[in-house]
Amino acid sequence: MAVVGERGPPVAETAHENELQRLQDRFLVLTEAMQAFAGATTEHPLLLDTIVRRVAEIVGGFCWVALLSEDGRWLIPVASFHPDAATLALIRRLYIAIPLPVDGPLPPSIAFRSGEHVLVNDLSPAQVLARFSPEDHAAVLGVGVRHALLAPLRAQGKSIGVLSMARCGAETAPLDQADVRFLRCLADHAALALSNARLLADAQRELAERRRTEEALLRTEEQLRQAQKMEAIGRLAGGVAHDFNNLLSVVLSYSHLLLDDLAATDPMRADLEEIKKAGERGADLTRQLLAFSRQQVIEPRILDLNHVVESMDKMIRRLIGEDIELKTSPGRELGRVVTDPGHIEQVILNLVVNARDAMPDGGTLTIETGNAELDEAYAREHLGVTPGAHVMLAISDSGSGMDRATQERIFEPFFTTKEKGKGTGLGLSTVFGIVKQSGGSIWVYSEPGNGTTFKVYLPRTDETATALGRAVRLTTVRGSETILLVEDDDPLRVVACGILRKNGYRVLDARSGGEALLLCERLEQPIDLLLTDVVMPQMSGRELARRLTRLRPDLRVLYMSGYTEDAVVHQRVLDAGITLLQKPITPDVLLHKVRELLEAPRANPR
Ligand SMILES: Nc1ncnc2c1ncn2[C@@H]1O[C@H](COP(=O)(O)OP(=O)(O)OP(=O)(O)O)[C@@H](O)[C@H]1O
Ligand SMILES: [Mg+2]
């Protein structure tokens, strides 16, 4: 039925060709889009930009895409295009400058919520202007939106955004069903590509997260291995130290006793002095080994680390000499820690001496304190850390630093890189033991040539600092009281007996708890002090004391131990009201402790 005109192609034929062209254009855009979407991974912002551009060119109007915000409440425009730059700027300002609420009344929100496309053709100026304030009216009319079509972006049955196109100008043709099919098809593919890209991004994020967790796991495994190694060495060292304490007590005690007896000019004195010195060095070593194996008895106090550092200032300066500058940075409102004051000083001194040794040509030593909150994440990556409030003590030097291999071994007892006679390799193992025993942790950060930082974290307490108690002043160490001495190690019992008797005491001795009980039952006279070893076969010192104080409530008790058994010590902390004499025993220490206890007021009957 084509009407053939005089000139040019028949009208119907032209319309047909136009329609064909139109379909071809759309088909082209669709195939282009599909190809692009198929290859799209995380590039969808760029992709959407290309799509809106092509669609806008074809419809001869504008096109934009909005995506659902993460909180699910807004549609946020992410790409828009109009072939005319000035109009595009106006559109962006008027129509898509701000996110649209998902539950709003405008067509994009309706399309989004309903999951169906919305087609509004032949908008009247009144309809177009309705949502704008008067000062924008001229601009809105300038854009002249006339027909609009909105298609929801749907993936897995849910709307994830809206794709919209509009034709501007009073004379433009309305959008028809072919446009609807075209836009919906495009929207479906875009939605699929977007959700795929998101899935991919999620998977990549998850993978990265898993890799991070695996790395953290590897790190903690390494720390665990290290901790197990330290534990094993610690047990060995502790066992050796324990046995050595009894031996050293005998060596030291006899050398003291003999020296006391020898005349000042006796030629044997020098040799004996050497024996005593060797014994003392041995005692130092066992003390350090016990500290490392966390078997030192601690008498914790509530301390302010700033006070501790401050009180050591002079000593530290003397130690490091003049070529090393000391900087202190005390943390403000520093929390308190519960630890043994003597031990924490030892920690600081050992770290300071190491820092000094690492800076033979001078440098800077920094001592810093501060409150630190160690969170779950930190605890997960740092074995042995309990999350919570801590106090940090950091000691840094600008010295030689260490490589990784050295860092892995520094806390091992007897590991030293210093030349013979310069270091025993027990400094850091002592530090390690003390810090661990106080419930804390220690970490080293170092690089060859770039100095070293040791960070100690101790759990923070809310209690207030306690003043350090004063020792009783003694005028003499002699006495005439009756002491019941119970010790299963024969040489040690003999020498302790000798020391006490020599200083005026009356000593009854027993090899075991049973023997001591028998002795007491038979004896009428008073006993002033029970001096007993803690760990003995059959009956512990603690049990013996319990039974004896029931018979003789006035009896005072002094425990001797080289070790920290649960009998008198819990978690290595001395039970209240217990007095402990730590092995190895020397005459001085023994006599002092005995006298101190005998002269102490009877506040605590034990
Ligand atoms: N601040 C530091 N800078 C560089 N290396 C250090 C530092 N602190 C420790 N080290 C290294 O760790 C090793 C072990 O230290 P540790 O304190 O346990 O023993 P030591 O200092 O060698 O001997 P000791 O302390 O028993 O006299 C040192 O020999 C040294 O190699
Ligand atoms: Mg050292």
Side-chain angles (χ1 to χ4, degrees):
M1 328 153 251
V3 181
V4 182
E6 292 286 290
R7 275 168 278 135
V11 178
E13 206 168 301
T14 318
H16 216 72
E17 273 172 16
N18 282 347
E19 181 59 23
L20 213 64
Q21 184 62 47
R22 210 164 69 101
L23 287 176
Q24 212 173 359
D25 284 349
R26 281 157 175 65
F27 182 70
L28 214 70
V29 173
L30 273 179
T31 27
E32 269 176 26
M34 272 187 240
Q35 269 170 2
F37 285 146
T41 51
T42 53
E43 295 293 311
H44 58 264
L46 191 72
L47 206 75
L48 290 174
D49 222 57
T50 322
I51 299 299
V52 293
R53 190 178 287 268
R54 295 288 283 122
V55 173
E57 277 164 12
I58 287 168
V59 294
F62 78 83
C63 178
W64 60 278
V65 187
L67 296 179
L68 185 63
S69 64
E70 269 187 26
D71 64 7
R73 295 171 53 204
W74 303 93
L75 291 170
I76 301 171
V78 290
S80 55
F81 192 75
H82 187 284
D84 177 62
T87 315
L88 178 63
L90 271 182
I91 287 169
R92 285 190 175 156
R93 176 167 78 77
L94 294 168
Y95 286 93
I96 49 179
I98 45 162
L100 293 170
V102 162
D103 54 5
L106 296 176
S109 306
I110 295 172
F112 179 88
R113 285 200 304 272
S114 66
E116 297 294 334
H117 71 271
V118 175
L119 175 62
V120 269
N121 275 329
D122 298 313
L123 284 161
S124 68
Q127 279 174 304
V128 173
L129 291 176
R131 50 184 275 232
F132 293 97
S133 57
E135 67 264 25
D136 284 333
H137 283 183
V140 173
L141 291 176
V143 174
V145 171
R146 182 92 170 113
H147 319 288
L149 173 59
L150 302 107
L153 297 172
R154 311 255 313 154
Q156 283 138 6
K158 272 191 276 180
S159 295
I160 59 166
V162 179
L163 174 63
S164 153
M165 69 182 193
R167 218 169 247 161
C168 308
E171 301 309 316
T172 49
L175 295 158
D176 57 18
Q177 283 310 308
D179 292 313
V180 170
R181 280 196 298 278
F182 164 67
L183 199 70
R184 286 187 63 156
C185 187
L186 200 60
D188 286 348
H189 284 284
L192 192 66
L194 276 172
S195 77
N196 282 346
R198 279 180 188 172
L199 281 177
L200 192 72
D202 283 351
Q204 278 170 341
R205 208 173 314 121
E206 206 169 294
L207 209 68
E209 178 62 33
R210 193 174 311 162
R211 203 166 300 143
R212 260 197 304 280
T213 323
E214 270 167 17
E215 277 166 11
L217 195 68
L218 268 181
R219 265 199 304 280
T220 28
E221 262 173 19
E222 169 60 27
Q223 288 172 8
L224 187 67
R225 211 175 47 76
Q226 192 77 6
Q228 281 168 341
K229 177 181 81 180
M230 297 301 263
E231 196 59 43
I233 306 177
R235 250 196 313 272
L236 177 70
V240 171
H242 182 220
D243 286 347
F244 260 72
N245 268 331
N246 282 355
L247 300 176
L248 286 168
S249 297
V250 175
V251 171
L252 280 171
S253 295
Y254 278 119
S255 33
H256 274 97
L257 288 176
L258 283 173
L259 278 167
D260 280 353
D261 286 347
L262 286 186
T265 50
D266 196 302
M268 270 184 14
R269 275 199 87 86
D271 292 357
L272 256 176
E273 288 284 2
E274 285 307 313
I275 294 176
K276 191 182 98 185
K277 257 192 256 161
E280 278 162 358
R281 273 204 300 278
D284 273 348
L285 278 176
T286 49
R287 209 173 4 260
Q288 283 167 305
L289 284 179
L290 279 177
F292 167 66
S293 55
R294 283 170 261 164
Q295 291 178 351
Q296 214 169 209
V297 177
I298 51 174
E299 294 187 45
R301 302 268 154 79
I302 296 156
L303 293 180
D304 180 337
L305 283 189
N306 281 345
H307 291 168
V308 177
V309 174
E310 210 179 282
S311 71
M312 295 175 72
D313 189 86
K314 259 209 200 104
M315 191 198 307
I316 293 173
R317 281 178 203 279
R318 216 175 319 122
L319 262 176
I320 59 178
E322 298 197 331
D323 292 340
I324 295 174
E325 186 193 357
L326 173 65
K327 282 191 188 158
T328 49
S329 167
R332 284 212 263 159
E333 289 174 27
L334 193 69
R336 304 289 184 263
V337 295
V338 184
T339 186
D340 187 302
H343 293 179
I344 199 72
E345 281 179 10
Q346 216 179 324
V347 165
I348 297 172
L349 279 185
N350 283 344
L351 293 176
V352 163
V353 169
N354 281 350
R356 176 199 67 191
D357 293 348
M359 300 184 285
D361 304 318
T364 311
L365 169 72
T366 313
I367 303 181
E368 192 189 337
T369 56
N371 293 326
E373 199 64 46
L374 302 183
D375 59 14
E376 294 279 352
Y378 184 91
R380 235 176 289 129
E381 299 207 357
H382 294 79
L383 195 77
V385 170
T386 323
H390 284 73
V391 175
M392 183 220 46
L393 165 74
I395 298 191
S396 313
D397 63 64
S398 57
S400 58
M402 292 169 256
D403 57 20
R404 280 227 76 80
T406 307
Q407 284 175 48
E408 283 193 1
R409 303 196 54 196
I410 49 174
F411 295 114
E412 287 173 24
F414 303 112
F415 174 81
T416 179
T417 56
K418 294 173 188 171
E419 56 188 275
K420 220 172 162 21
K422 284 272 167 64
T424 54
L426 282 172
L428 284 179
S429 18
T430 307
V431 168
F432 179 87
I434 292 173
V435 170
K436 286 278 161 185
Q437 208 177 345
S438 302
S441 58
I442 181 164
W443 307 96
V444 59
Y445 304 91
S446 185
E447 253 177 65
N450 276 328
T452 301
T453 296
F454 281 95
K455 278 192 181 172
V456 174
Y457 290 100
L458 297 175
R460 185 177 162 170
T461 174
D462 289 334
E463 295 166 68
T464 43
T466 39
L468 300 187
R470 291 211 164 273
V472 183
R473 277 198 177 280
L474 298 178
T475 46
T476 173
V477 292
R478 296 182 61 84
S480 55
E481 290 90 343
T482 304
I483 298 175
L484 172 58
L485 168 66
V486 190
E487 164 67 63
D488 61 323
D489 186 288
D490 291 337
L492 181 56
R493 192 182 60 255
V494 171
V495 75
C497 239
I499 295 166
L500 291 168
R501 284 194 180 128
K502 202 170 163 206
N503 284 275
Y505 293 100
R506 208 173 157 246
V507 187
L508 309 164
D509 67 324
R511 213 174 268 148
S512 67
E515 218 181 290
L517 278 174
L518 271 179
L519 220 147
C520 275
E521 273 167 20
R522 273 195 238 121
L523 205 71
E524 289 291 309
Q525 67 184 100
I527 298 174
D528 301 288
L529 177 81
L530 167 69
L531 173 60
T532 176
D533 189 13
V534 180
V535 178
M536 292 179 296
Q538 286 139 30
M539 190 188 299
S540 77
R542 188 70 193 267
E543 179 56 27
L544 172 65
R546 227 188 324 265
R547 294 204 195 177
L548 279 185
T549 43
R550 225 178 286 141
L551 291 176
R552 298 167 182 252
D554 274 353
L555 188 70
R556 296 174 196 246
V557 183
L558 175 57
Y559 293 98
M560 298 183 279
S561 179
Y563 222 23
T564 55
E565 299 80 6
D566 286 347
V568 285
V569 174
H570 288 100
Q571 314 274 270
R572 314 261 180 252
V573 177
L574 207 56
D575 290 353
I578 296 281
T579 318
L580 183 80
L581 178 61
Q582 286 193 63
K583 290 179 182 175
I585 288 162
T586 61
D588 276 1
V589 178
L590 173 64
L591 291 169
H592 258 93
K593 264 282 198 252
V594 164
R595 205 58 247 152
E596 232 172 68
L597 196 67
L598 286 170
E599 288 191 10
R602 268 196 184 279
N604 200 323
R606 275 183 305 171

